Amino acid sequence: MGTRRGKSPVNAVLKWLMRQPTKVKSCLAVVFTVCSLVAMKLFVKNHDYFFVASEAIHAAGIMVLIYKLTTKNTCSGLSLKTQELTAMFLALRLVCSIIMEADIHTVLDFATLASTAWVIYMIRFKLKSTYIKELDNFPIYYIAVPSAILAFIVHPYNRVINLSGILWAFCVYVESVSVLPQLRLMQNAKMIEPFTSHYVFALGVARFLSFAHWILQLIETRGRYLFLLGHGYLWFPAAFLAEMIQTFILADFCYYYIKSLKEGQLLMRMPV
């Protein structure tokens, strides 16, 4: 069984891929992304489903953390700062969503916010002794302050309440880099246990689906989606750039996650 598995076409392709230089891997990643986007465009007619799927997968990632906290009784490897940033942008986005649209996104944001708040409570109080504060050393104000300044300058135009546009932009900018404290903690720890890696991978998949929505909208509108009238000419390019940054931040982690998974490693090593 082990010999056959080692000689399977999938494992052979993966071994060949791992031997390739970085440039070849990058080109293949681009080709894979383009093919995925083409498939999504052909088979998914309503591209809003990508946003819904993205939020649902994010919520599923939080459920993985809840399972870890309740069964393992440890929060080792989790960044409290990432969870607090997540709760921050979810709470503000929930308020904006209730004011502006109140749809399925509102429900998913509420569920994810409630779950995130519970995770924060567990880390701060119930499992405080297992939280490694020394490794979670990424300053939150490095994210919050620049995001607030950028949101005040570049935000969607809203004729009714301009404050809601600023808050929405702040949510987008904070979300795009909210995973940085978690990645910094994992880099400091060198080793990542399975449940934490599953959670971050779920964030990566969620970001890819959200980014796919933007790309497909750009293709269908031939670029006009970036400059919709009545919403501020800089807002959509800035939001698109934020989505792109978050996607690429998580792309590298997702590659090493899949590599470790195929090699059967329970603990994932972060590259130096």
Side-chain angles (χ1 to χ4, degrees):
M1 292 294 289
T3 305
R4 290 182 180 179
R5 185 171 180 265
K7 294 182 179 181
S8 69
V10 175
N11 284 326
V13 171
L14 287 173
K15 289 180 180 179
W16 174 83
L17 180 61
M18 291 174 187
R19 290 195 300 265
Q20 303 309 306
T22 303
K23 289 184 179 180
V24 174
K25 291 177 182 176
S26 300
C27 291
L28 291 173
V30 171
V31 172
F32 174 77
T33 302
V34 171
C35 291
S36 299
L37 291 173
V38 170
M40 290 177 180
K41 181 174 174 57
L42 292 175
F43 294 107
V44 181
K45 301 303 179 182
N46 188 345
H47 298 153
D48 287 338
Y49 289 157
F50 291 134
F51 267 139
V52 176
S54 173
E55 293 168 353
I57 291 173
H58 185 182
I62 297 292
M63 292 299 108
V64 170
L65 292 187
I66 290 176
Y67 177 80
K68 170 189 174 175
L69 297 177
T70 54
T71 59
K72 305 298 182 181
N73 291 320
T74 177
C75 62
S76 176
L78 290 181
S79 169
L80 175 62
K81 294 180 179 180
T82 283
Q83 297 305 315
E84 289 175 339
L85 286 170
T86 300
M88 181 193 302
F89 77 72
L90 283 173
L92 293 175
R93 193 167 72 186
L94 181 62
V95 172
C96 294
S97 181
I98 292 173
I99 294 174
M100 294 187 292
E101 48 190 7
D103 53 12
I104 183 62
H105 301 283
T106 309
V107 176
L108 288 171
D109 278 344
F110 176 79
T112 307
L113 175 59
S115 302
T116 303
W118 187 86
V119 170
I120 293 173
Y121 168 78
M122 292 294 289
I123 295 175
R124 277 194 171 276
F125 301 103
K126 295 292 186 180
L127 302 174
K128 185 178 180 180
S129 61
T130 63
Y131 171 57
I132 309 175
K133 186 177 182 180
E134 293 75 19
L135 299 181
D136 195 12
N137 55 10
F138 191 99
I140 287 183
Y141 60 83
Y142 279 9
I143 293 175
V145 174
S147 296
I149 296 173
L150 185 59
F152 185 78
I153 298 172
V154 182
H155 56 267
Y157 174 72
N158 191 315
R159 294 180 181 179
V160 182
I161 307 174
N162 198 40
L163 179 61
S164 64
I166 296 175
L167 292 177
W168 188 271
F170 179 73
C171 295
V172 171
Y173 301 144
V174 170
E175 183 182 14
S176 67
V177 289
S178 61
V179 75
L180 287 180
Q182 180 65 62
L183 294 178
R184 176 67 173 273
L185 186 151
M186 294 189 301
Q187 193 74 45
N188 291 337
K190 306 301 181 184
M191 300 289 291
I192 313 166
E193 57 82 37
F195 290 106
T196 303
S197 61
H198 297 338
Y199 162 69
V200 179
F201 180 72
L203 294 183
V205 174
R207 284 307 93 208
F208 175 76
L209 291 174
S210 181
F211 186 60
H213 174 271
W214 282 88
I215 294 294
L216 293 176
Q217 291 284 17
L218 284 174
I219 294 173
E220 290 190 348
T221 62
R222 297 182 180 179
R224 293 191 301 273
Y225 190 69
L226 286 179
F227 305 98
L228 292 180
L229 293 176
H231 289 79
Y233 284 102
L234 292 177
W235 161 240
F236 275 98
F240 175 73
L241 181 61
E243 287 284 349
M244 183 184 297
I245 289 172
Q246 189 174 16
T247 302
F248 281 99
I249 285 175
L250 288 165
D252 186 60
F253 173 85
C254 290
Y255 166 75
Y256 285 102
Y257 172 87
I258 295 173
K259 179 181 176 181
S260 298
L261 200 65
K262 295 304 296 182
E263 292 175 352
Q265 297 178 4
L266 293 178
L267 293 176
M268 178 179 167
R269 292 181 179 271
M270 285 293 287
V272 178

